[in-house]
Amino acid sequence: MQPAFDLSLASSGPLAGSCLLSGDKSLSHRAALFAALAEGESVIDRFLVSGVTHAMLGALAALGVAWRLDGARLTVQGRGLRGFVTPAAPLDCGNSATTIRLLAGALAAAGTPCTLDGSAGLRRRPMGRVTEPLLRMGVPVGTTDGCAPLTLSGRAVSCPLTAIDYTLPVASAQVKSCLILAALAADGVTTLREPGPSRDHTERMLAAMGASIRSAGNTVAVSPLARPLAPLRMTLPGDISSAAFLLVAAALVPGSEVTVRDVGVNPTRTGILDVLSAMGARVTVENPRVIAGEPVGDIRLAAAPLQAVRVAGDTVVRMIDEFPVFAVAACFASGVTEVCDAEELRYKETDRISVLCGELKALGVRLTERRDGFTIEGGTLAGGEADARGDHRLAMSLALAGLAAPSPVTVHHAEILRESFPDFVEQLTRLGATGTVKERS
Ligand code: S3P
């Protein structure tokens, strides 16, 4: 086991430079799983090697999928849509909700009997949102009081699932992706309608592999798979959700200018760029290009004084993972920042409204917690000690506060950041920040 640590960040001058990050987390999960469902060998470069993607790879190995990691190159031998072997034990999805929810859809399509489980944190997350529509499709699946462990019973693969027309109660790419995967084995066209623009990586990647998927606005129509999925050959773009930490770091330190190269800028993910611009930071996307169906660019941010903003509606969906880091930026903006329509944050790795507000309060921030968001009074963060509370994004966000706070900030149990951004401290150090990592005894 890797050691636990506390983390403090500081800056003695502007941050500057350019960096290249690991591949996107959502795309890494999808590339590994969809490659397993394809027929033939897939080669995926710039795969994110981290805690949560190891959960997906471990589960695939238990389902009989052969894969190899050489640095950041993942090679997968696809077994086809119905090629999983029945695992000998429950699959451990660790802390990864993407792993458990997407696998549930893939196992439903495959008809493989299986139990899906994970960490204590994962067991607290709602699973009825995937099992309820799967049951309507005829998938024999059960939860444990609405949560993991999930149990799928075996199903004759000759018997297709029932195509459905379904409106998701919340905008969720994990739920949508689960149902798209199940729909590949249905008896007709499945139509999925969402209340907001959740990330569409599944649609883009499966379409590039030969599936028939049509999107219009927030509705997607999926046809049953007519021929095997073609294997993948792609280099993944960098993760905009990880880039967001470096961009906010630059926004917090006057005079900074940083560029993060080769980052995915899919419009369903770029809410944070819109919001940082609205706050006054100078943000540009340079060298726009398309790689394997995904928009990619180099994101440059130059610091400028930050102003408070209001975030609501579809922008919330388009930056759903960036609220912890955005909240820290808001702590250094002038005025009162307001977040509404974001109740979904309560169902993430932690209850990200309550836990974020609690830890920011511990650093002196004046704020108000609401059911669907919060308000933050800029200029009130003093410094002190906070805890990551088992949430990788909270660990990194709180640590960034130390770059601009009047007194140092120490984040306890920051090792959880390895789940999604193992080289977070190294990347910031390269830009000129100072990171102090203290192993916990
Ligand atoms: C993800 C979707 C989002 C996001 C998560 C990754 C994905 O979750 O928060 O980090 O890869 O599909 P929801 O689908 O629950 O919104």
Side-chain angles (χ1 to χ4, degrees), residues 63 84-89 91 107 110-115 140 151-155:
L63 290 164
F84 288 148
V85 302
T86 303
L91 298 185
L107 290 160
T112 312
C114 182
T115 298
T151 303
L152 287 108
S153 313
R155 182 178 57 80

Side-chain angles (χ1 to χ4, degrees), residues 226-374:
R227 57 183 177 285
L229 292 171
L232 282 169
R233 289 280 147 110
M234 75 182 288
T235 299
L236 301 180
D239 196 327
I240 190 167
S241 295
S242 295
F245 295 106
L246 306 183
L247 298 172
V248 167
L252 294 183
V253 183
S256 297
E257 182 161 344
V258 306
T259 302
V260 193
R261 301 193 310 278
D262 280 359
V263 183
V265 286
N266 180 315
T268 58
R269 301 280 301 276
T270 48
I272 185 69
L273 303 185
D274 299 345
V275 166
L276 288 173
S277 296
M279 294 175 84
R282 285 175 287 136
V283 182
T284 47
V285 177
E286 293 161 5
N287 303 319
R289 54 207 180 273
V290 175
I291 298 179
E294 287 285 344
V296 177
D298 303 330
I299 308 176
R300 178 189 294 270
L301 185 142
L306 297 177
Q307 314 295 327
V309 285
R310 179 174 188 275
V311 181
D314 282 357
T315 308
V316 171
V317 182
R318 293 176 51 247
M319 57 177 280
I320 193 68
D321 289 337
E322 280 64 75
F323 281 92
V325 75
F326 161 68
V328 168
C331 290
F332 297 97
S334 61
V336 177
T337 289
E338 188 182 5
V339 171
C340 308
D341 304 330
E343 187 177 343
E344 187 55 18
L345 295 177
R346 295 195 180 272
Y347 307 102
K348 294 295 173 188
E349 283 81 338
T350 52
D351 173 340
R352 277 201 179 138
I353 295 182
S354 143
V355 168
L356 176 65
C357 289
E359 296 307 312
L360 287 177
K361 265 190 191 161
L363 298 178
V365 178
R366 282 203 292 272
L367 53 79
T368 316
E369 178 180 337
R370 297 189 185 147
R371 183 67 212 159
D372 72 337
F374 47 84

Side-chain angles (χ1 to χ4, degrees), residues 7 9 242 245-246 395-397 399-400 417 421-429:
L7 173 64
L9 294 174
S242 295
F245 295 106
L246 306 183
M396 295 183 273
S397 304
L400 289 185
L417 62 82
F421 195 174
D423 56 343
F424 169 75
V425 178
E426 290 74 9
Q427 292 283 0
L428 275 165
T429 312

Side-chain angles (χ1 to χ4, degrees), residues 24-27 29-30 97-98 101-102 125 129 170-177 194 198-199 201-202 241 269 317 320-321 344 347-349 352 392-393:
D24 184 85
K25 170 168 87 73
S26 290
L27 288 170
H29 278 302
R30 285 161 175 76
T98 309
R101 293 190 177 126
L102 269 61
R125 299 184 69 179
R129 52 178 64 187
V170 289
S172 163
Q174 291 175 357
V175 175
K176 177 176 62 176
S177 301
E194 279 193 289
S198 75
R199 62 195 68 185
H201 303 306
T202 295
S241 295
R269 301 280 301 276
V317 182
I320 193 68
D321 289 337
E344 187 55 18
Y347 307 102
K348 294 295 173 188
E349 283 81 338
R352 277 201 179 138
H392 53 126
R393 300 201 196 281

